[in-house]
């Protein structure tokens, strides 16, 4: 066995990350197509569905420990202020209040800075947005804590503030000492020469697009329960990243990483908003240590909306040069985004750099600090926004040169990664266009945009998608087989509702020829599972499923060699079939896995599987195209999505049922972003005006259109030993752009800012006249 | 104490407690002292301001002393420890806390436990048939009408309420009945399938 340590670099949510870890150097033959497999790819029921449907699943929200204390956070009512004084005299007198933390008493808790909040203090004396943490009260129950919060008297020096990215870029007001543009400069990229490219062009089209702030709003609020046992801290956390949270908490508390344990069995959604430790998790840990009792902090719906992450807005100025034959000669993207008061990413140029063939590309992106809640990764960060801009512009260019938008995209197809210079392991975008066009009835779309009859007009539009989604090491799965024949998989991951429990069992079941129902899967516990990556960036399935296969293959080898030893023969003489080991020259000689373990002194066989390194010389990406049909009521401005067809190259299907469900979810979230979701911040107070589910409109079952999902190919076999890629973000990326293009096709007016609300439709239709 | 009298007390002490909450003082209610007199000294503190409520949940009778401002959702979760009922918005906007009162689906976060006094309530746990899933629950498992599972108990209760009233709903009727339950994962198409499948299972 020659496993090795590699440094690998892959894209995770907002940036490339480099990790060092042990990878498997075993090479396996690709599995045959799903139709020849027993479990992988089959639409098996979600393993965790029964416990969830019964109401018995314990979410972090449901964790109650003996003698538990409840904490609530006091948040700033001002968008920018210096805290001069905090008086807790009355708050402390409320019966049942046990402790109050705030900026002026933190020395007692070794209060340090929080690195991922721009090195601000846990309770920073400078509050930078409405919602910034000021104090935290622990009490016998939430109501008591809430009552005490209201009695804390805070004296502020109120400062001017800035919530608009463009104004903030040029403002004298400094939100952080190093200025309001993050890192002090834009992120710039150039290849070729855009000047030459535009000189070559027959037509140059320029336009500006913008997108809104959107909020994750998972149904389970962000929450943590902290519990100390001597020097060991256990945090039950609603998180997408148990190991990352462990490391962040340990760093914040300046304690060894192995003295912190993070547990998350079930969680109520994340969508990127739960990839890091919260300040609230650190507060819970500090309070629990001080009080020597478990502490629970639940953030309510309002806190979700004002303080726990969002998709930053974007303003995008795009310019494209094209020849009359459809060749794109140059692309230029200038964009800025308000990332809120603490470090985050607002870039959205990635799709433009890579999706279509173009030798001359320039992008310039500004992530700008504002006095607003900090942005966090949100399902395909940057790409949803950037794809809307790019794909809208592409349609404009196609129309200008009189070319069909689909034909225009086919013309500019490229089969290698123009940024990294490597070929793709797979890119089936042309096939996606063909199938999508057929299923939506592309030929029936309005030849003249807005040309339909009647006041309710239909339109069809499409958009393409690129996203990494290849995952990578380090990711491990440990299998344990006991003398009862029970097999348990401990996987370095967590399930967000994406089917991780299920596919781990399917992959192992396939290799060991055991029904997935008979395999227990343990996830989301840093003390029980081997190390694995955060669940974000569509990386879980492509990181974990190959590790699960590796573990199962090694377990199979161990069963064979143990049986060979018991029979005193060479391993080559032993075969494996239907979960049992047999002697090749005497098939009557058989041992089940259980029989083998029973004869071992250890009464147990373990096997550790690891994700292999990513393939050298290739770029692993997901691709897809979505086609939308919409109906626009030109009297009310209301847009209804009637149908979405999604055709994607996302590798092998692990489970047809959960895959389809997750695609539906991404598309529906895309419909929300396209039509209804928008966080509104009042420029006169810096406050959010719609911090609840009533005014912040997430899609309901009534807005759900007919959705068809098609997955191309049998698997991306060059990507990893399972041929699997991720699906979480590809599902959502092209949806808003496809809807926007369909709206244009319906009414002949282009809405250039999301969401496409009725007022924008009405203004576009009637105001210009 | 007659039921009527009890109700009056409840309402008065409810208002009183809200007052305490907002003012943030501990000028504890003189009104309640007279009732407290009758209680043994050692449990007086813990009962100060509490009132009695009796509900029938999942076929069992529960009598509890609670603060009058307790919502039905809090009561179900904290007093009865039935944590299948979730609270996601606490404002009657999302439906995660949906339970049945009689045969009506209600948002339990928007109802006081006191207002459920003497009522028959069914939570997600009450749809179980011993250790087996009930028909609607089974349908949600088979049709994968869920992802993260947090809104699922509320979805299943709403589906159950619909099917009790309308055993064979059309897709439009399913959408209408389920539109008060948000699912941020967007499992809606599979929720529609699940409700449809549940209707068929219940018919058998």
């Amino acid at each position: 066995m020659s496993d090795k340590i590699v440094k690998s670099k892959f894209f995770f949510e907002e940036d490339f990350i480099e990790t060092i870890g042990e990878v498997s150097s075993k090479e396996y033959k690709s599995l045959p197509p799903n139709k020849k497999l027993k479990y992988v790819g089959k639409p098996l029921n979600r393993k965790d569905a029964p416990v969830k449907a019964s109401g018995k699943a314990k979410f972090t929200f449901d964790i109650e420990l003996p003698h538990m204390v409840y904490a609530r956070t006091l948040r700033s009512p001002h968008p920018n202020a210096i805290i001069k004084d905090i008086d807790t005299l009355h708050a402390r007198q409320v019966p049942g209040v046990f402790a109050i933390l705030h900026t002026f008493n933190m020395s007692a808790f070794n209060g340090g800075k929080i690195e991922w909040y721009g090195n601000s203090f846990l309770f920073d004396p400078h509050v930078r947005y409405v919602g910034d943490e000021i104090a935290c009260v622990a009490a016998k129950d939430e109501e008591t804590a809430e009552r005490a919060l209201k009695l804390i008297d805070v004296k502020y020096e109120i400062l001017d503030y800035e919530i608009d990215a463009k104004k903030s870029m040029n403002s004298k007001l400094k939100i952080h000492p190093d200025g309001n543009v993050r890192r002090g400069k834009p992120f710039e990229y150039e290849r070729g020469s855009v000047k030459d490219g535009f000189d070559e062009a027959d037509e140059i089209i320029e336009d500006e697009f913008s997108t809104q702030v959107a909020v994750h709003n998972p149904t389970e609020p962000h929450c943590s329960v902290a519990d100390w046992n001597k020097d060991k801290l256990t945090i039950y956390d609603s998180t997408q990243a148990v190991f990352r949270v462990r490391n962040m908490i340990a760093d914040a508390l300046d304690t060894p990483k192995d003295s912190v344990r993070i547990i998350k069995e079930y969680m109520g959604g994340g969508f990127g908003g739960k990839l890091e430790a919260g300040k609230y998790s650190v507060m819970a840990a500090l309070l629990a240590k001080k009080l020597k009792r478990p502490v629970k902090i639940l953030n309510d719906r309002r806190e979700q909306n004002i303080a726990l992450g969002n998709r930053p807005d974007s303003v995008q100025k795009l310019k494209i040069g094209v020849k009359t034959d459809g060749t794109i000669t140059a692309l230029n993207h200038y964009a800025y985004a308000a990332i809120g008061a603490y470090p985050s990413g607002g870039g959205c140029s990635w799709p433009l750099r890579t999706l279509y063939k173009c030798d001359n590309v320039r992008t310039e992106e500004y992530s700008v600090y504002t006095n607003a809640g900090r942005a966090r990764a949100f399902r395909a960060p940057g790409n949803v926004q950037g794809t809307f801009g790019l794909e809208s512009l592409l349609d404009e260019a196609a129309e200008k040169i009189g070319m069909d938008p689909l034909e225009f995209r086919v013309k500019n197809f490229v089969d290698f990664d123009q940024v990294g210079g490597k070929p793709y392991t797979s890119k089936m975008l042309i096939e996606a266009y063909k199938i999508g066009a057929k299923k939506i009835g592309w030929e029936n779309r309005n030849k003249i945009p807005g040309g339909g009859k009647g006041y309710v007009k239909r339109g069809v539009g499409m958009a393409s998608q690129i996203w990494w989604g290849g995952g990578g090491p380090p990711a491990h799965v440990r299998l344990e087989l006991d003398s009862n024949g029970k097999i348990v998989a401990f996987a370095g991951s967590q399930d967000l509702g994406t089917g991780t429990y299920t596919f781990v069992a399917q992959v192992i079941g396939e290799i060991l020829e055991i029904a997935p129902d008979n395999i227990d899967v343990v996830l989301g516990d840093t003390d029980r599972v081997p190390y694995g990556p955060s669940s974000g960036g569509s990386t879980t399935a492509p990181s974990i499923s190959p590790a699960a296969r590796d573990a199962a293959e090694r377990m199979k080898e161990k069963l064979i060699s143990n049986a060979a030893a018991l029979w005193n023969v060479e391993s080559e003489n032993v075969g494996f079939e239907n979960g049992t080991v047999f002697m090749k020259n005497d098939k009557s000689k058989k041992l089940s896995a259980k029989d083998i373990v029973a004869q071992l002194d250890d009464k147990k066989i373990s096997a550790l599987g690891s994700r292999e390194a990513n393939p050298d010389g290739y770029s692993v990406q997901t691709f897809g195209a979505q086609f939308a049909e919409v109906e626009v009521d030109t009297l009310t401005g209301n847009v209804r999505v009637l149908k979405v067809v999604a055709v994607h190259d996302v590798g092998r299907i692990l489970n047809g049922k959960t895959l389809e469900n997750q695609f539906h979810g991404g598309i529906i979230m895309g419909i929300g972003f396209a039509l209804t979701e928008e966080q509104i911040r009042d420029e006169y107070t810096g406050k959010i005006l719609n911090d609840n589910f009533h005014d912040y409109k997430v899609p309901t079952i009534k807005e759900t259109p007919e959705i068809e999902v098609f997955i191309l190919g049998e698997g991306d076999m060059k990507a990893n030993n399972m041929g699997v890629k991720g699906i979480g973000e590809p599902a959502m990326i092209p949806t808003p752009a496809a809807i926007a293009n369909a709206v244009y096709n319906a009414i002949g007016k282009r809405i250039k800012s999301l969401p496409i609300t009725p007022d924008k439709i009405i203004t576009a239709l009637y105001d210009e006249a | 104490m007659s039921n009527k009298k009890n109700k009056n007390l409840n309402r008065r002490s409810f208002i009183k407690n809200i007052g305490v909450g907002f003012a943030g003082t501990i000028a504890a209610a003189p009104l309640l002292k007279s009732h407290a007199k009758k209680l043994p000294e050692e449990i007086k503190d813990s009962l100060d301001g509490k009132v009695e409520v009796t509900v029938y949940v999942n076929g069992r009778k529960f009598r509890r002393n609670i603060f009058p401002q307790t919502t039905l959702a809090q009561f179900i979760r904290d007093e009865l420890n039935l944590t299948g009922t979730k609270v996601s918005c606490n404002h009657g906007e999302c439906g995660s806390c949906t339970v049945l009162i009689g045969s009506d689906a209600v948002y339990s976060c928007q109802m006081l436990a006191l207002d459920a006094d003497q009522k028959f309530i069914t939570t997600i746990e009450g749809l179980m048939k011993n250790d087996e899933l009930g028909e609607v629950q089974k349908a949600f498992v088979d049709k994968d009408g869920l992802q993260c599972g947090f809104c699922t108990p509320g979805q299943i209760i709403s589906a159950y309420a619909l099917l009790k009233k309308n055993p064979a709903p059309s897709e439009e009727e399913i959408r209408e009945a389920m539109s008060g339950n948000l699912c941020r994962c967007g499992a809606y198409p599979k929720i529609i399938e699940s409700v449809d499948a549940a209707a068929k299972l219940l018919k058998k």
Side-chain angles (χ1 to χ4, degrees):
Chain A
M1 229 179 285
S2 55
D3 288 341
K4 56 185 177 182
I5 306 295
V6 298
K7 189 188 257 185
S8 49
K9 189 175 168 191
F10 63 100
F11 197 85
F12 182 80
E13 289 293 357
E14 299 189 304
D15 222 338
F16 281 100
I17 54 170
E18 248 185 16
T19 55
I20 294 173
E22 191 173 339
V23 296
S24 173
S25 17
K26 294 237 177 189
E27 284 179 24
Y28 302 110
K29 267 202 303 196
S30 296
L31 291 180
N34 282 350
K35 58 178 176 289
K36 295 195 172 160
L37 300 179
K38 212 166 167 188
Y39 304 118
V40 166
K42 298 296 170 286
L44 303 185
N45 283 352
R46 194 180 289 269
K47 223 173 161 43
D48 44 335
V51 73
K52 287 174 173 173
S54 71
K56 286 181 191 153
K58 289 275 180 227
F59 293 76
T60 307
F61 183 76
D62 302 320
I63 300 288
E64 292 286 318
L65 300 174
H67 311 295
M68 196 157 82
V69 166
Y70 302 80
R72 297 280 297 148
T73 307
L74 180 68
R75 297 183 177 277
S76 173
H78 302 294
N80 201 16
I82 303 293
I83 297 175
K84 297 310 235 186
D85 185 42
I86 296 180
D87 181 356
T88 61
L89 180 68
H90 289 118
R92 288 202 309 271
Q93 288 169 357
V94 175
V97 167
F98 302 131
I100 303 177
L101 301 183
H102 57 78
T103 189
F104 300 122
N105 73 359
M106 283 300 291
S107 55
F109 306 106
N110 303 320
K113 289 188 169 181
I114 304 295
E115 185 254 330
W116 66 97
Y117 270 86
N119 278 318
S120 65
F121 286 97
L122 183 60
F123 299 98
D124 207 88
H126 181 181
V127 285
R128 297 176 174 88
Y129 72 98
V130 176
D132 220 344
E133 291 84 354
I134 289 176
C136 188
V137 175
K140 68 181 169 76
D141 53 37
E142 285 197 316
E143 291 75 14
T144 305
E146 191 72 31
R147 190 190 300 179
L149 285 186
K150 294 188 172 115
L151 294 172
I152 297 176
D153 191 11
V154 186
K155 296 266 183 297
Y156 303 94
E157 179 194 339
I158 294 170
L159 307 173
D160 286 342
Y161 62 92
E162 193 48 76
I163 62 165
D164 179 80
K166 189 177 184 183
K167 288 184 196 156
S168 181
M169 270 199 281
N170 308 310
S171 176
K172 283 199 190 97
L173 182 153
K174 279 191 176 171
I175 296 165
H176 286 281
D178 54 348
N180 291 353
V181 172
R182 191 178 174 205
R183 299 193 177 104
K185 57 180 198 305
F187 177 83
E188 291 175 277
Y189 168 86
E190 184 159 14
R191 68 168 180 263
S193 155
V194 280
K195 192 190 165 297
D196 293 352
F198 286 120
D199 286 347
E200 262 179 71
D202 297 322
E203 297 283 355
I204 293 171
I205 300 104
E206 270 183 274
D207 219 332
E208 185 175 314
F209 298 89
S210 65
T211 61
Q212 74 279 34
V213 176
V215 189
H216 307 74
N217 265 319
T219 49
E220 183 189 31
H222 292 60
C223 48
S224 295
V225 176
D227 187 23
W228 289 87
N229 184 355
K230 298 202 178 82
D231 289 329
K232 178 87 180 189
L233 169 65
T234 300
I235 295 185
Y236 302 83
D237 197 36
S238 181
T239 180
Q240 301 172 235
V242 287
F243 285 101
R244 183 158 186 243
V245 167
R246 177 194 70 178
N247 295 351
M248 291 168 100
I249 294 280
D251 288 348
L253 299 179
D254 198 18
T255 183
K257 291 183 173 60
D258 57 6
S259 69
V260 180
R261 176 184 186 187
I262 307 293
I263 301 176
K264 183 222 67 102
E265 196 173 8
Y266 303 108
M267 75 182 295
F271 315 112
K274 293 177 180 168
L275 280 165
E276 60 180 45
K279 277 192 173 179
Y280 55 88
S281 321
V282 180
M283 292 174 204
L286 290 173
L287 286 166
K289 184 156 207 182
K290 178 184 162 65
L291 298 172
K292 298 189 170 58
R293 290 171 70 171
V295 173
K296 183 176 194 173
I297 298 189
L298 285 180
N299 292 279
D300 64 20
R301 185 55 49 192
R302 178 172 176 267
E303 292 176 293
Q304 299 291 299
N305 278 273
I306 68 171
L308 296 168
N310 56 63
R311 183 190 297 280
D313 64 5
S314 75
V315 174
Q316 308 172 42
K317 295 177 187 194
L318 288 105
K319 190 171 167 186
I320 186 170
V322 281
K323 290 189 174 174
T324 47
D325 70 353
T327 308
I328 299 174
T329 60
L331 278 167
N332 195 62
H333 196 217
Y334 168 92
Y336 54 86
I339 59 168
Y342 297 101
S344 185
C348 63
S349 297
W350 263 106
L352 178 132
R353 277 175 238 154
T354 51
L355 190 48
Y356 298 107
K357 181 158 182 17
C358 182
D359 296 334
N360 308 302
V361 176
R362 186 169 191 287
T363 64
E364 185 176 333
E365 305 165 280
Y366 296 79
S367 293
V368 186
Y369 288 119
T370 53
N371 292 109
R374 169 171 161 258
R376 287 189 187 181
F378 187 171
R379 206 169 194 165
N383 278 43
V384 176
Q385 302 96 295
T387 299
F388 164 67
L390 174 66
E391 291 291 77
S392 297
L393 185 78
L394 240 75
D395 268 26
E396 287 188 36
E399 187 174 1
K400 187 94 181 209
I401 57 169
M403 203 165 182
D404 180 285
L406 259 184
E407 198 188 323
F408 183 46
R409 285 168 173 85
V410 172
K411 167 90 188 170
N412 292 290
F413 178 86
V414 59
D415 62 2
F416 70 99
D417 182 339
Q418 297 168 96
V419 174
K422 295 172 183 172
Y424 294 124
T425 48
S426 160
K427 181 177 180 182
M428 291 186 273
L429 211 37
I430 306 266
E431 293 88 328
Y433 295 152
K434 278 184 192 152
I435 294 171
K438 193 164 164 232
K439 296 286 173 187
I440 202 78
W442 184 254
E443 72 287 354
N444 299 328
R445 60 197 272 283
N446 296 316
K447 297 293 172 293
I448 301 161
K453 291 198 169 57
Y455 68 90
V456 178
K457 293 178 183 288
R458 285 195 176 195
V460 169
M462 62 80 58
S464 318
Q465 160 266 316
I466 179 170
W467 177 262
W468 296 268
H476 310 288
V477 175
R478 191 179 70 249
L479 278 185
E480 283 181 11
L481 175 67
D482 71 12
S483 55
N484 296 317
K486 184 85 206 159
I487 189 148
V488 186
F490 298 85
S493 190
Q494 47 274 305
D495 192 326
L496 324 182
T498 44
T500 313
Y501 283 109
T502 316
F503 81 67
V504 168
Q506 285 177 276
V507 171
I508 291 163
E510 189 70 49
I511 305 301
L512 293 178
E513 301 173 53
I514 300 172
D517 279 352
N518 297 328
I519 298 167
D520 280 355
V521 180
V522 176
L523 300 170
D525 183 339
T526 54
D527 274 16
R528 291 182 75 201
V529 305
Y531 185 80
S534 307
S535 287
S538 305
T539 58
T540 302
S543 302
I544 296 296
S545 67
R549 180 178 180 190
D550 189 43
E553 300 274 11
R554 287 172 194 256
M555 178 60 84
K556 189 158 127 183
E557 266 177 39
K558 287 188 180 190
L559 288 170
I560 290 171
S561 43
N562 272 297
L566 289 168
W567 288 327
N568 291 315
V569 297
E570 294 297 320
S571 292
E572 305 84 90
N573 301 324
V574 178
F576 187 93
E577 202 173 66
N578 289 325
T580 55
V581 182
F582 62 92
M583 189 89 94
K584 280 180 180 166
N585 57 11
D586 178 6
K587 277 208 171 186
S588 66
K589 254 191 149 176
K590 274 193 207 179
L591 281 172
S592 69
K594 185 178 160 182
D595 300 335
I596 295 169
V597 179
Q599 296 190 46
L600 302 177
D601 290 337
D602 194 14
K603 303 293 177 211
K604 193 176 82 183
I605 301 178
S606 311
L608 181 69
S610 302
R611 170 65 151 80
E612 75 270 47
N614 277 329
D616 271 341
Y618 285 100
S619 171
V620 185
Q621 307 275 332
T622 61
F623 296 95
Q626 288 183 10
F627 293 72
E629 182 178 12
V630 303
E631 197 174 77
V632 184
D633 184 324
T634 57
L635 299 182
T636 64
N638 197 43
V639 178
R640 250 181 74 200
V641 181
L642 302 174
K643 183 174 179 175
V644 175
V645 176
V647 195
H648 291 259
D649 167 0
V650 285
R652 182 193 298 273
I653 297 172
L654 285 170
N655 181 317
K657 200 181 270 191
T658 56
L659 171 134
E660 193 176 61
N661 204 340
Q662 201 176 346
F663 260 100
H664 291 162
I667 290 162
I668 290 165
M669 203 171 254
I671 292 171
F673 192 68
L675 301 180
T676 57
E677 292 184 35
E678 179 174 24
Q679 181 175 68
I680 298 170
R681 191 176 293 275
D682 177 29
E683 66 173 301
Y684 302 107
T685 59
K687 294 184 187 196
I688 306 254
L689 300 180
N690 56 344
D691 55 14
N692 55 65
F693 272 142
H694 184 267
D695 301 309
Y696 182 91
K697 289 288 188 194
V698 307
T700 75
I701 202 163
K702 283 192 161 181
E703 284 85 54
T704 302
E706 180 190 352
I707 301 173
E708 288 186 61
V709 181
F710 299 92
I711 302 304
L712 300 165
E714 297 288 350
D716 187 343
M717 303 312 179
K718 289 186 197 128
N720 53 60
N721 72 43
M722 287 298 300
V724 163
K725 295 191 281 199
I727 63 168
E729 1 262 306
M732 179 181 181
I733 293 168
T735 317
I739 291 169
N741 284 338
V743 167
Y744 177 75
N745 186 247
I747 63 172
K749 300 281 179 188
R750 187 164 290 282
I751 310 298
K752 296 171 189 174
S753 82
L754 294 184
I756 304 174
T757 45
D759 57 309
K760 291 179 191 170
I761 298 268
I762 296 296
T763 305
L765 283 172
Y766 304 110
D767 269 18
E768 284 169 35
Chain B
M1 201 184 279
S2 80
N3 196 29
K4 195 179 170 208
K5 215 167 156 192
N6 198 5
K7 275 274 156 63
N8 287 339
L9 163 71
N10 292 345
R11 205 152 285 148
R12 266 156 58 208
S13 45
F14 167 67
I15 291 162
K16 196 74 206 174
N17 265 272
I18 289 288
V20 170
F22 284 148
T25 67
I26 45 158
L31 168 96
L32 300 167
K33 286 238 169 88
S34 58
H35 304 285
K37 247 187 281 177
K38 296 168 197 158
L39 298 166
E41 203 58 34
E42 64 268 24
I43 61 165
K44 193 182 71 180
D45 276 0
S46 64
L47 288 181
D48 237 7
K50 288 192 175 180
V51 289
E52 189 182 291
V53 62
T54 303
V55 290
Y56 300 85
V57 180
N58 303 331
R60 277 184 63 198
K61 181 178 179 177
F62 294 92
R63 186 182 297 161
R64 292 285 190 278
N65 289 298
I66 57 165
F67 286 110
Q69 70 270 33
T70 308
T71 66
L72 181 57
Q74 284 174 323
F75 180 80
I76 289 168
R77 288 180 55 84
D78 302 343
E79 294 289 330
L80 308 185
N81 203 23
L82 295 169
T83 55
T85 301
K86 306 299 181 199
V87 177
S88 180
C89 73
N90 209 26
H91 283 71
E93 294 157 358
C94 76
S96 293
C97 64
T98 308
V99 299
L100 286 182
I101 296 194
S103 55
D104 295 329
V106 303
Y107 288 168
S108 63
C109 77
Q110 290 300 289
M111 184 169 185
L112 293 172
L114 280 182
D115 286 334
D117 192 39
Q118 304 297 332
K119 293 208 158 70
F120 290 83
I121 298 167
T122 306
T123 69
I124 187 73
E125 291 88 351
L127 298 189
M128 297 292 286
K129 297 184 166 170
N130 299 318
D131 284 340
E132 297 279 297
L133 297 173
E135 289 88 350
V136 184
Q137 292 166 311
K138 250 186 224 153
F140 271 74
V141 170
D142 287 341
K143 297 296 174 188
D144 206 35
L146 58 92
Q147 287 178 39
C148 78
F150 199 77
C151 73
T152 308
Q155 302 277 359
I156 291 174
I157 291 283
S158 286
Y160 185 87
L162 165 69
L163 297 172
K164 281 283 147 188
K165 290 177 184 171
N166 180 356
S170 66
E171 190 186 319
E172 273 321 293
E173 287 168 333
I174 293 173
R175 285 174 186 258
E176 184 62 37
M178 301 301 291
S179 63
N181 291 76
L182 298 181
C183 169
R184 187 53 162 158
C185 299
Y188 297 131
K190 302 238 178 254
I191 289 171
I192 296 171
E193 275 185 58
S194 302
V195 180
D196 194 49
K200 288 174 181 120
L201 274 182
L202 283 166
K203 243 183 249 171
K204 275 182 192 162

